[in-house]
Amino acid sequence: TLERTHKGVLYIGFPTGRTSSATFSIVVPDAGLPSGSLQMHMRTLVFGRASGQLPEITMTYYKISRPTLHTPTVLAATQTAFDYDVTTPSGDTDGSGTDLLVDNVIEVDSDAFSISAGDTVFVTMQRAADASPSLAADFGLIRIVGIVSRGV
């Protein structure tokens, strides 16, 4: 995974032909959130450096609960996968069979997962070397944010 600039836009590039990943840390505020159970989904702004459907990208997360002051908290031992589909929305973008064109940006949301106020969430995105469909160029991540909402 490489930090790159293209047309003046800074992005994280997930190159073709090799497995690459990046992990991001998102801090959930501990106040000012909706009451009741909470959930988060990831919202990304992505593009391909070549025309075509974007490759499969997997997302996993783990979280650390905010500890009570001066009280130890155990770190999470495993990551949990959740659905993030960039391939479907990048195919047939105009209804005529045309896949995403080179340097066209799309916004893609993941499925939601449960969180609590004060959590620190670590989200990992990965492009496998054999990801399908095979986009012969970078998958570019411009932005990733966590959207907090009331759970259902």
Side-chain angles (χ1 to χ4, degrees):
T1 310
L2 303 167
E3 184 178 294
R4 300 184 190 262
T5 303
H6 177 65
K7 294 187 175 183
V9 176
L10 182 66
Y11 73 95
I12 303 295
F14 295 77
T16 189
R18 66 183 176 106
T19 298
S20 56
S21 64
T23 301
F24 306 92
S25 172
I26 300 167
V27 178
V28 180
D30 60 356
L33 298 171
S35 61
S37 63
L38 299 173
Q39 63 183 16
M40 175 183 283
H41 71 270
M42 306 315 300
R43 177 164 291 157
T44 61
L45 194 59
V46 298
F47 73 106
R49 289 291 311 272
S51 293
Q53 280 188 289
L54 296 175
E56 178 183 18
I57 301 293
T58 58
M59 268 196 187
T60 58
Y61 77 92
Y62 67 95
K63 56 189 176 182
I64 300 171
S65 298
R66 181 179 180 200
T68 304
L69 190 62
H70 305 297
T71 303
T73 298
V74 177
L75 292 176
T78 59
Q79 295 203 17
T80 302
F82 60 103
D83 188 47
Y84 175 71
D85 179 11
V86 295
T87 303
T88 301
S90 64
D92 193 14
T93 58
D94 62 2
S96 69
T98 302
D99 292 337
L100 190 66
L101 297 175
V102 64
D103 296 341
N104 278 229
V105 176
I106 60 171
E107 187 174 81
V108 180
D109 285 357
S110 74
D111 280 355
F113 52 91
S114 296
I115 59 163
S116 297
D119 282 355
T120 300
V121 180
F122 297 92
V123 175
T124 299
M125 296 179 68
Q126 179 175 302
R127 178 184 184 177
D130 61 351
S132 176
S134 178
L135 180 72
D138 276 357
F139 165 84
L141 173 69
I142 297 171
R143 178 179 69 212
I144 182 169
V145 296
I147 307 294
V148 176
S149 60
R150 185 175 303 170
V152 290

